[in-house]
Amino acid sequence: VSCLSPFIPLVPPPTMKLTIAFTGAAAAPLKCGVASARFNDCASCLDAVLSTGKVDFWWNWDTETKVDYTALSPANQAKANETFVPMIWGQVLPDGEWDFLSKGTHIMGFNEPDQYGPSCDGDWNPPAYGCSAGEWRAATSSGWAPLFDPSAGTAGNPHAASYWQDVINKLTAKTGGPRQVVSPSMAQVAEPGASCIGVDPSVADNPKYCYGWLKAFKTATLALDCMDFEGKATNCWDVIDAIQIHAYA
């Protein structure tokens, strides 16, 4: 694990490692975190990570820890709960509704809506984009969903900005939940390319990466009404406390 400043974790998913950078105050203390899908079935792995004393937080692309706590030391059982950061992976309401809001102080936004990463069903012939014949796996990025289009869309066909408004207003309507909101995570180029508004990435010849997604998302969310955690009316962009960027290595 490598630490950057401020609020920067390193994340090793099952097959790759990526860095997430959070913006924050220049004087903010260095924070380091780690994520792995293996923690769900390898609690001893999480126990080893927490025992280093070097990790300030961890996550698993979910809203619940889903860890066998009996495999953790007593000290790390408490630490696992205190340092876990839930994520709203896509536009669907998480399992268990919003019970997870009673834990932690941060909540992460959508996972990589700026790229198309559909699930792989080994029975599909031909395979989906990015999948090998016979490969089975869950979707890697939420960009396969309506989130690939960063605009608000319409009432009958909502897209990322509208789903964000819905998520934020549900979050802030609850009490005792997270007070720090982290933006949707970005994996692609920040500078805008061809517009992704109205684009369905599942169509064969359509773009699979949305360059400049966050900039278009900002424009759309600035025009939408949200409530912040202090109960103040604002737009749906200014509720964000930190920006997360994924850099694959």
Side-chain angles (χ1 to χ4, degrees):
V1 175
S2 175
C3 301
L4 303 174
S5 177
F7 289 103
I8 298 175
L10 267 192
V11 189
T15 58
M16 62 189 70
K17 181 169 64 178
L18 55 90
T19 302
I20 294 181
F22 295 152
T23 62
L30 178 69
K31 299 289 183 180
C32 298
V34 65
S36 174
R38 292 198 60 200
F39 291 153
N40 292 1
D41 55 20
C42 183
S44 60
C45 299
L46 177 61
D47 193 59
V49 168
L50 295 175
S51 294
T52 65
K54 305 296 184 182
V55 175
D56 297 296
F57 59 96
W58 69 282
W59 72 102
N60 59 2
W61 301 279
D62 206 322
T63 55
E64 300 293 339
T65 57
K66 297 184 177 179
V67 169
D68 177 9
Y69 281 83
T70 62
L72 303 179
S73 68
N76 284 340
Q77 288 179 16
K79 187 181 294 184
N81 274 332
E82 293 168 358
T83 57
F84 177 71
V85 180
M87 170 183 271
I88 305 296
W89 191 89
Q91 83 276 16
V92 179
L93 189 68
D95 292 339
E97 298 294 319
W98 300 93
D99 296 343
F100 68 92
L101 291 178
S102 62
K103 309 169 187 175
T105 58
H106 290 71
I107 180 73
M108 292 180 177
F110 309 138
N111 186 65
E112 300 177 354
D114 60 340
Q115 62 181 18
Y116 182 56
S119 59
C120 297
D121 185 321
D123 291 336
W124 290 341
N125 186 20
Y129 173 83
C131 301
S132 301
E135 182 180 5
W136 295 82
R137 64 167 170 77
T140 58
S141 305
S142 63
W144 59 271
L147 305 184
F148 188 81
D149 180 334
S151 72
T154 64
N157 186 28
H159 290 295
S162 290
Y163 282 114
W164 181 255
Q165 180 186 40
D166 182 60
V167 166
I168 292 299
N169 286 332
K170 285 178 177 176
L171 286 171
T172 57
K174 306 296 181 180
T175 59
R179 292 296 183 269
Q180 299 291 309
V181 177
V182 182
S183 75
S185 60
M186 297 292 96
Q188 293 302 318
V189 177
E191 288 300 314
S195 174
C196 299
I197 295 176
V199 173
D200 180 354
S202 67
V203 175
D205 294 329
N206 280 357
K208 309 305 179 187
Y209 304 119
C210 184
Y211 302 140
W213 187 98
L214 194 62
K215 186 172 183 179
F217 178 75
K218 177 179 180 179
T219 298
T221 52
L222 280 170
L224 298 179
D225 296 328
C226 278
M227 189 72 69
D228 67 19
F229 276 112
E230 295 180 352
K232 298 177 181 177
T234 184
N235 61 73
C236 295
W237 174 261
D238 287 336
V239 297
I240 295 174
D241 299 288
I243 304 295
Q244 57 176 325
I245 306 295
H246 290 184
Y248 290 83

